[in-house]
Amino acid sequence: MLYNALKLAHVLSIVVWIGGMVFAHFFLRPAAQSLEPAQRVRLMHDVLQRFLAAVSVAVVVVLASGLWMIGRVARQAVQAGGSFSMPLDWTVMATLGLVMMAIFGHIRFALFRRLQRAVAASAWPAGGQALASIRSWVGVNLALGVVTIVVTLLA
């Protein structure tokens, strides 16, 4: 029962993370392009502030639940007298997940801070540059997330 609850929390956290990136990248950002730079940068800042806070929680849930589920399966294998060898799809999922978390950390703690400073200073060109960097890294993370899902479901 606990395993299923953790797996549900794991998947729902990934839905928030990947779904939010899809929404921001393909729907919000293109729609915001019609706004004046000051309005666009402020809007994206405010949206990203909320989204990055939610993803921070999601990352913790994904990491903790993933480690717990792997540990539980490994412990059961050893207790049954066998050995544990992590399946290839789990290895790919865990590796790409850790890379995605590192990229998220860069977005959250470096690039978003640049955006915050630009908004505080009303430096709209600098804010636009920060948003462009965020967009690029979100694109990378989105691609990694999709690859992770494909590998996990098709392996």
Side-chain angles (χ1 to χ4, degrees), residues 29-120:
R29 187 189 62 78
Q33 292 300 321
S34 65
L35 299 173
E36 293 297 320
Q39 293 174 315
R40 182 178 71 251
V41 171
R42 277 192 196 116
L43 171 68
M44 294 303 292
H45 169 270
D46 292 351
V47 169
L48 285 170
Q49 188 165 27
R50 289 172 177 84
F51 176 65
L52 295 175
V55 174
S56 295
V57 172
V59 164
V60 170
V61 171
V62 167
L63 185 60
S65 61
L67 288 172
W68 190 91
M69 289 186 291
I70 291 169
R72 181 172 181 261
V73 170
R75 186 174 57 253
Q76 286 177 333
V78 170
Q79 287 175 345
S83 64
F84 175 72
S85 178
M86 199 154 81
L88 179 60
D89 60 325
W90 288 18
T91 303
V92 170
M93 178 177 22
T95 302
L96 292 179
L98 290 172
V99 171
M100 288 178 66
M101 290 175 197
I103 291 170
F104 168 75
H106 176 64
I107 292 168
R108 172 64 188 90
F109 298 110
L111 301 177
F112 185 69
R113 285 204 174 132
R114 263 190 238 158
L115 177 60
Q116 286 179 308
R117 286 192 299 271
V119 168

Side-chain angles (χ1 to χ4, degrees), residues 12-28:
L12 289 176
S13 293
I14 291 166
V15 167
V16 167
W17 191 0
I18 303 294
M21 288 191 295
V22 167
F23 172 75
H25 200 70
F26 294 109
F27 302 100
L28 177 61

